[in-house]
Amino acid sequence: MDINALLSVPLETWQAQSAPADDVVISSRVRLARNLTGSRFPYFAEQDELQAVEEKVKGALKALTKEEGEPPTYIALGGLDGIDTQVLVEKHVVSPQFVAETAHRGLVVNRDASLAMMVNEEDHLRIQCMAGGFQLRSALAHAQAVDDALASELTFAFDDRWGYLTACPTNVGTGMRASLMIHVPALVRTKKIQRLIQNMMKLNFSVRGMYGEGSEIIGNVFQLSNQITLGMSESDIVAALQRVGEELIKEEREAREQLLAAEKDVLEDEIWRSYGVLRYARSMSGKEAMTRLSQVELGRVLGLLPQVPHAAFRELTVLTRPGFLQRYIRRPELPETERDSWRAVVIRDKLQSYEKSHTEHHQSVSK
Amino acid sequence: MDINALLSVPLETWQAQSAPADDVVISSRVRLARNLTGSRFPYFAEQDELQAVEEKVKGALKALTKEEGEPPTYIALGGLDGIDTQVLVEKHVVSPQFVAETAHRGLVVNRDASLAMMVNEEDHLRIQCMAGGFQLRSALAHAQAVDDALASELTFAFDDRWGYLTACPTNVGTGMRASLMIHVPALVRTKKIQRLIQNMMKLNFSVRGMYGEGSEIIGNVFQLSNQITLGMSESDIVAALQRVGEELIKEEREAREQLLAAEKDVLEDEIWRSYGVLRYARSMSGKEAMTRLSQVELGRVLGLLPQVPHAAFRELTVLTRPGFLQRYIRRPELPETERDSWRAVVIRDKLQSYEKSHTEHHQSVSK
């Protein structure tokens, strides 16, 4: 995938399609931290060492041709401007930390961006594989295949006792972090989420906002991931997260049924009001957009908003982020004061186009 | 006009058309209280006396044929059910007090209901003439013509010193109350209305809500009327109210310009949000409807909502009243708990039909 496609489309194909349990789980992700032997971790390395790592990785990418259908693309971070890198963060392709520095840092993406590998972030390599909905095992299988293929060309720092060596001790062992991006509006509304989060934290899972550590939890979207990387196999970690995910999906779906049974009318009114405000407001903050889009998504999964398509929440969540918004409306110099009104424009236009498609589809079906 | 037409159409023709200053003044009204000599005031009268008055008035109606183009209709209040009389109150055709009793009470209406005369309310006759927008003088001329024509058939109680005698001493003299129904959202928003109301009260004008004495002021709609009926001629009273009305219109229009200059973006956003909520909400209280419809009307007069037609505010204000709503949706037994959701249905449908007409008109114009 070339960088322009990656930066201009809000959703990759793997995000736009239906996927298992995607009424609750937005996406699944597995990340493996790897470092090359003989080079210091990026934080301690000189520029020439970083450059050498970058060259070695670029040279090894051909090993992924079979797995990915074509050699993945290498995108040097230094060639991108501030808006571009912001968009990559907003799309969860890279971490916010990754784009803070650019020298000898690069991003490796495959055809549909379901593989996005950061080069010279905290570790030499951060292999990230994403899948839509609740598909941890296929994300893990993908990451392992990439890891195996790269290992045929590169030598990773590995210790028989400790496992994979990483810049931060919390990643030592498997070097793996598996995570789920989940949307649980009913658990938040019924206040059941607090107890569930406490339980998950007791089980050594971490709960964070959409943009990783320290990011605020808005729009009822959480990231749930393993904290333990040592003393468990990759598949055991994924299996444990899989169980927690299954539990959350079950609880969220039950809470939705309870809401429908207990207060359908109130809920429906609130959801349609949010739709109406999004459909017509002239100014919309990022936070209000997320909150109302979350309500609209709840309405969609409950069957209350037939005009809202399947991927609307995921699409609008990306579209309305500051960086993506600026690229989308082709206003790289957009003053912050005008951002809320452009966000409102984009949401209005999108909802209107959804309505139009729905009406046209409905008309063509009834003919 | 027959009773079914009167009860089923939200707006009479005189209300639906454009009228002078109707961006601020919803309607003008002149009421004359008259009593027949030789009969006690209704409150003190026996049934047979009330019946005699009723018969005399009915007999005199032919005198209005020339003025009204055809003899006006007499509608006996006793023949109407509770919803019907509620609708008449909601449409401001009769007073709430009038429909509390029905025996020998009746309503006289002309072809377009710009004349609505109550028989055996507090006085034997309450001649009411209405006109759209700011047209006090034509309402007065109409009422005087009706008064003169009836006086050719009936003898009104009149004292050379006191003028027309009325059941309540506050009406003695001219027996006239002239009033304006005004919509002043910008004066309310800029908080200038308080000082203006104080001034008007000092000048002996009375300020009340939409439904007369004691009714709550909602939706930024006020009734402004004279309190003094004695010691001034009818035309002097109307001239004084005319001056106050002109002042209010000027102040409201200036306040609108100020709002546009000072906070157009905020205002536009709020107005469109109200539009969006009205357009999609599933439940809407009467009070919220009035508040949001007032905002939408402000948007219309400011040119911000091109899809909203001229009479929308007046139409929806009537349509969404409990009684009219029940008649409109043909659910005479509508439980109060379902009223808010039906009100939301009716508003949604109306706004959608306005949008449709606007789009079709726009398309046919551009062809």
Side-chain angles (χ1 to χ4, degrees):
Chain A
M1 172 171 270
D2 75 43
I3 182 67
N4 281 322
L6 186 62
L7 292 174
S8 57
V9 178
L11 297 183
E12 271 61 73
T13 47
W14 64 266
Q15 288 174 299
Q17 291 157 351
S18 300
D22 66 359
D23 59 317
V24 181
V25 182
I26 297 171
S27 60
S28 303
R29 168 183 304 244
V30 168
R31 177 266 280 163
L32 301 174
R34 296 291 182 261
N35 289 279
L36 308 190
T37 53
S39 302
R40 285 180 290 180
F41 294 133
Y43 187 71
F44 302 98
E46 301 297 334
Q47 291 296 313
D48 57 345
E49 261 182 291
L50 292 175
Q51 189 179 356
V53 168
E54 188 184 20
E55 291 308 320
K56 277 188 197 169
V57 172
K58 283 162 79 172
L61 294 182
K62 60 183 183 299
L64 297 175
T65 307
K66 193 177 162 206
E67 168 66 23
E68 302 299 342
E70 61 182 38
T73 310
Y74 184 82
I75 300 160
L77 215 51
L80 304 180
D81 67 23
I83 300 285
D84 294 343
T85 57
Q86 193 181 347
V87 167
L88 293 177
V89 172
E90 290 169 356
K91 291 185 71 177
H92 299 280
V93 173
V94 301
S95 63
Q97 295 76 27
F98 184 55
V99 299
E101 290 281 334
T102 57
H104 305 299
R105 289 188 168 186
L107 170 68
V108 176
V109 282
N110 69 349
R111 210 153 33 170
D112 68 352
S114 63
L115 163 67
M117 182 163 70
M118 293 182 279
V119 179
N120 285 329
E121 201 231 29
E122 186 182 295
D123 295 296
H124 293 148
L125 284 183
R126 287 271 174 114
I127 302 165
Q128 304 178 97
C129 288
M130 280 78 76
F134 192 40
Q135 299 195 80
L136 278 173
R137 288 196 189 98
S138 81
L140 175 63
H142 188 186
Q144 286 174 328
V146 170
D147 183 34
D148 290 347
L150 289 175
S152 69
E153 299 283 327
L154 302 168
T155 310
F156 294 142
F158 184 85
D159 179 274
D160 284 339
R161 184 167 170 212
W162 294 108
Y164 289 101
L165 301 178
T166 55
C168 179
T170 58
N171 290 314
V172 163
T174 56
M176 189 179 86
R177 170 158 249 161
S179 61
L180 296 172
M181 184 87 79
I182 53 165
H183 181 235
V184 285
L187 288 175
V188 172
R189 193 183 169 98
T190 56
K191 299 198 167 53
K192 291 183 179 167
I193 193 66
Q194 282 115 341
R195 179 184 52 79
L196 287 166
I197 286 183
Q198 282 168 4
N199 287 350
M200 290 182 289
M201 289 169 84
K202 274 184 206 155
L203 292 167
N204 283 312
F205 289 96
S206 104
V207 173
R208 299 172 302 165
M210 274 184 91
Y211 292 94
E213 238 151 313
S215 72
E216 205 184 348
I217 292 173
I218 55 167
N220 305 315
V221 174
F222 300 79
Q223 274 192 77
L224 176 68
S225 59
N226 64 300
Q227 279 182 319
I228 293 175
T229 56
L230 193 65
M232 281 176 86
S233 73
E234 292 169 351
S235 55
D236 285 350
I237 293 170
V238 161
L241 184 59
Q242 178 86 16
R243 280 191 301 275
V244 176
E246 279 162 7
E247 177 68 13
L248 265 178
I249 292 166
K250 185 173 142 281
E251 296 267 3
E252 169 66 15
R253 287 176 177 167
E254 281 173 10
R256 290 174 185 175
E257 291 305 316
Q258 284 166 18
L259 284 176
L260 276 186
E263 46 170 336
K264 179 164 191 271
D265 291 350
V266 173
L267 189 66
E268 198 167 357
D269 184 48
E270 276 181 31
I271 285 170
W272 274 103
R273 281 167 180 254
S274 266
Y275 184 83
V277 170
L278 290 168
R279 179 71 179 73
Y280 288 108
R282 261 48 194 170
S283 180
M284 182 64 58
S285 72
K287 197 164 174 177
E288 183 185 0
M290 271 305 291
T291 305
R292 295 201 182 273
L293 288 169
S294 166
Q295 280 204 296
V296 166
E297 169 69 357
L298 177 60
R300 186 193 68 78
V301 298
L302 294 179
L304 302 174
L305 302 178
Q307 78 278 28
V308 176
H310 179 259
F313 183 53
R314 283 166 281 170
E315 185 175 23
L316 281 165
T317 301
V318 176
L319 267 180
T320 56
R321 292 279 141 192
F324 202 92
L325 189 64
Q326 275 169 267
R327 266 195 77 94
Y328 185 72
I329 64 169
R330 297 166 200 278
R331 288 278 301 271
E333 302 296 324
L334 186 69
E336 210 176 316
T337 49
E338 292 180 29
R339 198 184 283 156
D340 288 356
S341 67
W342 278 105
R343 182 179 290 112
V345 168
V346 167
I347 294 173
R348 290 203 305 272
D349 287 357
K350 270 284 161 190
L351 294 185
Q352 192 174 18
S353 79
Y354 296 156
E355 280 176 19
K356 202 157 165 269
S357 307
H358 178 72
T359 308
E360 282 163 6
H361 174 73
H362 195 72
Q363 280 168 347
S364 72
V365 165
S366 58
K367 260 175 198 166
Chain B
M1 173 172 270
D2 75 42
I3 182 68
N4 281 322
L6 187 61
L7 292 173
S8 56
V9 178
L11 297 183
E12 271 61 72
T13 46
W14 64 266
Q15 288 174 298
Q17 291 157 353
S18 301
D22 67 357
D23 59 316
V24 180
V25 181
I26 296 171
S27 60
S28 304
R29 165 183 309 241
V30 168
R31 178 266 280 163
L32 301 174
R34 296 291 181 260
N35 289 278
L36 307 192
T37 52
S39 302
R40 286 179 288 181
F41 294 133
Y43 185 70
F44 302 99
E46 302 297 334
Q47 291 296 313
D48 57 346
E49 262 181 292
L50 292 175
Q51 190 179 355
V53 169
E54 189 183 20
E55 291 308 321
K56 279 187 197 169
V57 171
K58 282 162 78 172
L61 295 182
K62 58 182 183 301
L64 297 174
T65 308
K66 194 178 160 203
E67 170 67 24
E68 302 299 342
E70 63 183 35
T73 311
Y74 184 81
I75 299 161
L77 215 53
L80 305 180
D81 67 22
I83 300 285
D84 294 343
T85 56
Q86 192 180 348
V87 167
L88 293 177
V89 173
E90 289 169 356
K91 290 184 73 177
H92 299 280
V93 173
V94 301
S95 64
Q97 295 74 28
F98 185 55
V99 299
E101 289 282 336
T102 57
H104 305 299
R105 291 190 167 185
L107 172 68
V108 175
V109 283
N110 69 348
R111 209 154 34 171
D112 69 352
S114 62
L115 163 67
M117 182 165 67
M118 293 183 280
V119 179
N120 286 327
E121 202 230 28
E122 188 181 292
D123 295 297
H124 293 147
L125 285 183
R126 288 271 172 115
I127 301 165
Q128 304 177 96
C129 288
M130 281 78 77
F134 192 38
Q135 299 195 80
L136 277 173
R137 288 196 190 98
S138 81
L140 174 63
H142 189 186
Q144 287 174 327
V146 170
D147 183 33
D148 291 346
L150 289 175
S152 68
E153 298 283 326
L154 303 168
T155 310
F156 294 141
F158 183 84
D159 179 275
D160 283 340
R161 185 170 170 208
W162 295 108
Y164 290 100
L165 302 178
T166 54
C168 179
T170 58
N171 290 315
V172 163
T174 57
M176 189 179 85
R177 171 157 251 162
S179 61
L180 297 172
M181 184 87 79
I182 52 165
H183 181 234
V184 285
L187 288 175
V188 172
R189 193 183 171 99
T190 55
K191 299 197 166 52
K192 292 183 179 165
I193 193 65
Q194 282 116 340
R195 180 183 52 78
L196 287 166
I197 285 182
Q198 283 167 4
N199 287 349
M200 291 182 288
M201 289 169 83
K202 275 183 207 156
L203 292 168
N204 283 311
F205 290 95
S206 105
V207 174
R208 300 173 300 166
M210 273 184 92
Y211 292 95
E213 236 151 313
S215 72
E216 204 183 350
I217 292 172
I218 55 168
N220 306 315
V221 174
F222 300 80
Q223 273 192 76
L224 177 67
S225 58
N226 63 299
Q227 277 182 318
I228 294 174
T229 55
L230 193 64
M232 282 176 87
S233 72
E234 292 170 352
S235 55
D236 285 350
I237 293 170
V238 161
L241 185 59
Q242 178 86 15
R243 281 192 300 275
V244 176
E246 279 162 7
E247 177 67 15
L248 265 177
I249 292 166
K250 186 174 140 279
E251 296 267 3
E252 168 67 16
R253 286 176 178 165
E254 281 174 10
R256 290 173 186 176
E257 291 305 316
Q258 283 167 18
L259 284 177
L260 276 185
E263 44 170 337
K264 179 164 191 270
D265 291 351
V266 173
L267 188 66
E268 197 168 358
D269 184 48
E270 277 180 31
I271 284 169
W272 275 102
R273 281 167 180 253
S274 266
Y275 184 83
V277 169
L278 289 168
R279 180 71 180 74
Y280 288 107
R282 259 51 193 167
S283 180
M284 182 63 59
S285 73
K287 197 165 174 175
E288 183 184 1
M290 271 304 292
T291 306
R292 294 200 183 276
L293 287 169
S294 166
Q295 280 204 297
V296 166
E297 170 67 358
L298 177 61
R300 186 192 68 78
V301 298
L302 294 178
L304 302 174
L305 301 178
Q307 77 279 28
V308 176
H310 179 259
F313 183 53
R314 284 167 280 169
E315 184 175 25
L316 282 165
T317 301
V318 175
L319 267 180
T320 55
R321 291 279 141 191
F324 201 93
L325 188 64
Q326 275 169 268
R327 267 196 76 95
Y328 185 72
I329 63 170
R330 298 164 199 278
R331 287 277 301 270
E333 303 295 324
L334 186 69
E336 210 177 318
T337 48
E338 292 179 29
R339 197 184 284 157
D340 288 357
S341 67
W342 278 105
R343 181 179 291 112
V345 168
V346 167
I347 294 173
R348 289 204 306 272
D349 287 357
K350 269 286 160 187
L351 294 185
Q352 193 173 18
S353 79
Y354 296 155
E355 280 177 18
K356 203 157 164 270
S357 307
H358 178 72
T359 308
E360 282 163 6
H361 174 73
H362 195 71
Q363 281 169 347
S364 73
V365 165
S366 58
K367 259 175 201 166

